[in-house]
Amino acid sequence: MKKKWLALTLSLAMTLSLAACGSTGGTSTSGSGSGSGSGSGSGSDGDVITVGFAQVGHESDWRTASTESAKKVFSPENGYELLFSDADNDSAVQLEAIRGFIQQGVDYIIVDPIVSTGWDSILTECEDAGIPVIVIDRTIDDSDKYVSWVGSDFKTEGLACGEWLKAYAAAKGITEINALVIEGSTGASATIGRTEGFKEVADREGWTILDSQNGDFTEAGGQEVMESYCQSYAGQFNVVICQNDNEAYGAMTAMDAAGVSYGVDGDVIIVSFDSNEPAVEHVLNGNMNATFECNPMAAPTVDEVIKQLEAGETPEKEIYMEESWFAAEDLVTEITVNGETMPITQVTQEVLDARPY
Ligand code: GYE
């Protein structure tokens, strides 16, 4: 707000320079039109809050839901001008987007960190420029120079998956677990936490993790990894853990092609993380056995954080999203994770209809 005039000038300059170099970073403005001429533009009334959002990319349904939620919340109707950058999963592009936001003099920066390390110097630059940073979704492990983080406990998600599998296998009389893991992008805290959580239960229970490879959180990545697993581990696995929904869709395509049966009536138990609507529908239809939610709708909470900052209040440093665990059958109705008993929701048509994304 205070820096608005500077923002207008720099915004125009940056828009032009981005256009000139044909940036692949995908920075776009969705607001009431900076540089749109004189008169009652967003910069002159002093009320509009400018937010730069350095998004990871567009790799998954989860990501699309996260972006859509941000665009809806940080809209002109809600008093915001949003500068949005899609880094296409490239950390260097993400850092440059943040530098661009600093140059543009935005009021707040939101970042969903592609990887969990390498943040201290850019966050220091934000701090020096007096721009509060709010981190969403993935965590930053090597700096605390941000106001708040809003997201999920990924290790708990991995533990929940493991505890559910343990109880489910017991209920089905399955005594041996030979699992294949399709990981998310390397270095992402979501990947690290889910991997660690599941492995902790696997190690404790004496399960075999035959392999754990990077599917990059994409459908194509999940398919590619599963195609190679089907060749290398034919007949040896009975569990596939996909670290997001889209990888599970790819894995199912690969298993179809390889003649491997999966899901409630199949030979292979398949689970995913995220619980977007299509995944929950797969669980309802018995194609997938379970899905562990990761809630992408952080933007309304970030809006609250910004309102607190505007009012001179101190927001909480860590804010956790609410999440549920979903399964196809009613064999396991609750699990205990970190000493806390949590329900497993059996998916019905009603449950599916109520999914918000
Ligand atoms: O699970 C995946 C996305 O960071 C939690 O990133 C997020 C993950 C999500 O691409 O679908």
Side-chain angles (χ1 to χ4, degrees):
M1 288 181 302
K2 317 130 219 142
K3 312 167 200 106
K4 249 335 185 174
W5 288 110
L6 175 68
L8 274 176
T9 321
L10 287 168
S11 154
L12 187 58
M14 193 190 177
T15 308
L16 291 175
S17 74
L18 280 173
C21 37
S23 161
T24 54
T27 302
S28 65
T29 305
S30 78
S32 41
S34 56
S36 58
S38 58
S40 58
S42 61
S44 55
D45 56 18
D47 284 328
V48 172
I49 296 174
T50 311
V51 170
F53 178 19
Q55 175 63 291
V56 168
H58 49 272
E59 70 284 359
S60 66
D61 294 349
W62 189 101
R63 191 63 53 202
T64 305
S66 159
T67 295
E68 279 172 5
S69 161
K71 288 190 172 170
K72 203 166 146 207
V73 170
F74 302 110
S75 64
E77 305 85 72
N78 292 338
Y80 286 103
E81 180 185 10
L82 177 66
L83 306 181
F84 177 79
S85 165
D86 173 340
D88 198 16
N89 217 21
D90 183 331
S91 290
V93 172
Q94 187 168 49
L95 293 182
E96 272 323 295
I98 296 171
R99 288 210 171 90
F101 295 150
I102 296 173
Q103 280 167 13
Q104 287 182 288
V106 298
D107 297 315
Y108 298 94
I109 291 174
I110 304 171
V111 58
D112 188 329
I114 295 173
V115 291
S116 60
T117 53
W119 286 97
D120 202 53
S121 85
I122 187 85
L123 293 186
T124 305
E125 288 171 44
C126 296
E127 193 175 71
D128 291 348
I131 304 173
V133 174
I134 299 152
V135 180
I136 64 166
D137 173 33
R138 300 182 186 173
T139 50
I140 283 176
D141 295 341
D142 57 358
S143 178
D144 64 353
K145 292 182 181 133
Y146 54 88
V147 176
S148 286
W149 163 84
V150 182
S152 308
D153 186 328
F154 303 116
K155 183 164 181 201
T156 295
E157 293 175 354
L159 286 168
C161 172
E163 295 297 351
W164 170 84
L165 180 60
K166 179 189 166 196
Y168 183 68
K172 294 278 253 192
I174 298 168
T175 49
E176 213 182 297
I177 298 284
N178 291 301
L180 288 166
V181 178
I182 305 180
E183 294 186 17
S185 308
T186 304
S189 69
T191 302
I192 296 166
R194 289 170 188 168
T195 305
E196 269 178 22
F198 180 73
K199 191 172 180 305
E200 193 171 303
V201 181
D203 288 349
R204 192 189 68 211
E205 297 302 319
W207 299 341
T208 303
I209 297 180
L210 292 164
D211 212 335
S212 193
Q213 284 181 28
N214 177 6
D216 240 349
F217 283 134
T218 64
E219 183 164 345
Q223 184 174 338
E224 203 180 308
V225 171
M226 196 67 226
E227 279 166 0
S228 95
Y229 281 167
C230 284
Q231 292 201 343
S232 313
Y233 303 101
Q236 297 172 44
F237 61 95
N238 61 350
V239 173
V240 177
I241 308 289
C242 305
Q243 287 187 355
N244 83 345
D245 292 340
N246 293 82
E247 290 180 340
Y249 309 151
M252 288 191 281
T253 305
M255 285 194 279
D256 286 339
V260 176
S261 68
Y262 51 84
V264 170
D265 299 320
D267 294 331
V268 172
I269 298 166
I270 177 168
V271 307
S272 74
F273 295 88
D274 284 356
S275 310
N276 288 283
E277 213 181 299
V280 177
E281 191 167 0
H282 276 301
V283 173
L284 177 68
N285 297 336
N287 300 327
M288 283 169 44
N289 301 77
T291 178
F292 300 85
E293 188 186 16
C294 183
N295 187 338
M297 317 300 264
T301 307
V302 176
D303 175 43
E304 283 169 30
V305 167
I306 290 176
K307 295 216 161 90
Q308 284 179 293
L309 291 169
E310 290 284 308
E313 295 163 13
T314 308
E316 278 177 58
K317 185 86 183 182
E318 291 184 341
I319 305 169
Y320 287 90
M321 303 293 294
E322 278 188 27
E323 313 191 314
S324 307
W325 322 130
F326 301 96
E329 296 155 275
D330 62 359
L331 296 172
V332 180
T333 55
E334 58 181 34
I335 51 170
T336 302
V337 180
N338 302 325
E340 199 188 322
T341 302
M342 300 169 151
I344 300 287
T345 304
Q346 188 191 7
V347 177
T348 59
Q349 188 62 47
E350 257 184 310
V351 169
L352 177 65
D353 292 344
R355 293 302 298 143
Y357 53 89

